[in-house]
Structure formats: C-alpha cells, structure tokens
Amino acid sequence: MKHLDLDSRKGKAPGGYNCPLAESGAPFIFMNAAGQMSDVTTMVHEGGHAVHSFLAHPLELSSFKEYPMEIAEVASMAMELFTLDHLDVFLSDPADVKRAKEKQMERVLTIFPWIATIDKFQHWVYEHPNYTEEEITAAWKSILEEFSSEIVDYSGLESYRSGAWQRQLHLFEVPFYYIEYGIAQLGAIGLWMQFEKNKDQALDNYMHALELGGTQTLPELYKAAGLVFDFSPDHIKELTDFVRNKYEEILK
C-alpha cells in the first residue's frame, strides 16, 4: 500500500496533509510537489504529523489518539526547524542551502502577521453573514493593511491583494483553524531553542509530549515537551529574539 501521494497532477485536489490510518497506525501523506523548496518544507511538516501519528497510535482508546490542534502543529512546525541543518540532503549547492535557511527563518516570523490577518478576517466574516462583495473586499483590505509592513511597495498588485484571502483553504474547509498555527509556532520555536542547547533532551521532550496523544490538556502537553504555555510579550520577545539571532548567524 502506498502511503505517500506527493506529486502534483491534473485533477488532483489542492493542499497537503497527513492522515493516520486507524488500524495500522501508518500515516498517509498527501501533497502537491511542484519542484520548489516549499515542497521540502511541506514534506518535513507533514512528516512531523506522521511522527505524531506513530507515537500516539499505541494508546488504548481511539479518542486518546485525537489531540489538540495546537500540539499537532507543534509536532509539524518543530520538525521543520529540527531539520534545518540537513537541507543539504535535498540541495547540493551550499548557496541554495543558505538561501533556503534564510527563507525559512523569515517564514518563522512573517507567518505571525498573516495568522493574525486570517484570524481577524474570519471573525469579521462570521459576524457579518449578510455581507456584500464590496463589503467583504473592503474589510479584507483594511485588515490586511493593518498587519502589513509599509516597507513593501505593492503598487500594481492591488487587484491580487484584494482577493488574497481566497488562497487560504482553511477559511473554506476548517473555519477558525488558523490561530492554532501561531500558538504552535511559539511552541516550535521553544523546542528549537532546546534543540540547539541539547539535541537529545529536546527530542526526548518532543517524543514524550507527542506519545501522550490527547490524554492531557494542552498546557500539560506543553509542559511535557519542556515548554511554558505563555503568550506574554516578554516570552514572545525571548522566542523571536532567538530566531532573529539565528537568522543573523545564517547571514554571516
């Protein structure tokens, strides 16, 4: 049985996901590879979900294998960061490896304003169920501008930006499943900090938290991973400063 469906092809559904098979515990990974660096990121991301599936499978009850979205995305997003030093497996040119690391570092932080944009936008949508096309476009543009940087000049791209929300499948398929990525990214950065200090201990913490499945509350799962469930400005600054320092190391 094939457990990987990776290549893009005509008529194939968009997106990427990991789906654990209930009886065997084996994960099935679906994605649409198109010959880009993002293919590697997606594969590693879904691979983190696959590890979670394997580790939680031995739990006695099926309901125990259903875990909070926020810890599920810690599994995948942390895996993206754990594997940064192994991109040479996919990229033979050191310059490409360096550029890929730079892009990933940027993505680790720039995803936060996009998450905030999507989350605030979908709240607006459900609070205004009778909106017109003009109203939803105006609301989207206002929210997008609120969380966008003034450094980038988007002149000539106004039409594209006015409908950019439509590329976010979560809005259509799993409403309100997006803020979890922000919560999880903070956890993933925390695990990456551990990983840089002591790889073995970080991996032990990672696996211990994932093997608990849904048998604990979210704060307890974070604690099992050696993380603090903390969204204070001071803690977030500590995490983002770490990422910035790693980014500056790559640029040297």
Side-chain angles (χ1 to χ4, degrees):
M1 181 178 183
K2 295 182 178 180
H3 293 163
L4 302 174
D5 186 355
L6 308 181
D7 294 331
S8 181
R9 59 182 179 273
K10 186 176 181 180
K12 185 177 180 179
Y17 57 81
N18 167 74
C19 180
L21 304 179
E23 290 192 12
S24 67
F28 170 74
I29 294 179
F30 175 99
M31 58 178 279
N32 282 271
Q36 300 179 345
M37 178 56 208
S38 58
D39 299 338
V40 176
T41 303
T42 300
M43 181 63 195
V44 171
H45 179 100
E46 300 305 334
H49 287 310
V51 170
H52 205 170
S53 300
F54 275 125
L55 291 174
H57 181 67
L59 292 169
E60 185 176 5
L61 300 180
S62 295
S63 58
F64 288 169
K65 303 172 189 179
E66 299 294 328
Y67 25 77
M69 296 174 180
E70 296 87 347
I71 196 68
E73 298 304 339
V74 168
S76 56
M77 299 173 103
M79 186 63 75
E80 293 180 34
L81 300 174
F82 289 165
T83 55
L84 274 178
D85 289 335
H86 302 283
L87 292 178
D88 56 335
V89 173
F90 304 96
L91 304 169
S92 57
D93 187 338
D96 288 338
V97 172
K98 181 175 182 293
R99 186 172 64 173
K101 287 184 177 181
E102 289 175 10
K103 183 175 181 179
Q104 182 67 0
M105 289 298 92
E106 293 169 359
R107 181 174 174 270
V108 168
L109 294 182
T110 58
I111 193 174
F112 286 113
W114 179 252
I115 290 170
T117 301
I118 292 297
D119 187 65
K120 185 169 183 176
F121 174 67
Q122 61 185 344
H123 275 274
W124 184 93
V125 169
Y126 282 90
E127 290 167 0
H128 302 81
N130 299 314
Y131 58 78
T132 64
E133 181 179 347
E134 291 75 18
E135 289 171 340
I136 192 174
T137 299
W140 166 253
K141 290 169 68 175
S142 174
I143 295 169
L144 182 62
E145 183 177 348
E146 178 183 352
F147 294 104
S148 294
S149 170
E150 297 179 354
I151 296 175
V152 181
D153 181 5
Y154 291 103
S155 299
L157 299 173
E158 291 82 3
S159 177
Y160 166 77
R161 280 172 61 78
S162 68
W165 61 271
Q166 297 183 42
R167 68 183 174 90
Q168 194 62 62
L169 286 176
H170 297 71
L171 292 170
F172 302 94
E173 297 180 345
V174 278
F176 296 103
Y177 180 17
Y178 211 67
I179 193 68
E180 288 82 359
Y181 287 104
I183 296 172
Q185 185 72 298
L186 296 175
I189 296 171
L191 275 168
W192 188 29
M193 289 176 65
Q194 295 180 33
F195 189 76
E196 290 297 302
K197 295 176 182 177
N198 187 325
K199 289 182 172 57
D200 290 340
Q201 184 61 58
L203 291 175
D204 284 346
N205 290 345
Y206 175 81
M207 295 176 68
H208 174 53
L210 302 191
E211 69 186 6
L212 293 173
T215 63
Q216 306 290 324
T217 65
L218 184 60
E220 289 170 336
L221 291 172
Y222 269 58
K223 184 177 180 180
L227 301 169
V228 290
F229 197 66
D230 181 4
F231 308 115
S232 67
D234 287 344
H235 182 60
I236 292 174
K237 184 178 186 302
E238 178 186 1
L239 296 175
T240 54
D241 282 348
F242 171 78
V243 176
R244 183 181 64 183
N245 291 336
K246 295 297 295 183
Y247 182 68
E248 290 175 351
E249 288 178 14
I250 294 170
L251 293 179
K252 292 179 181 178

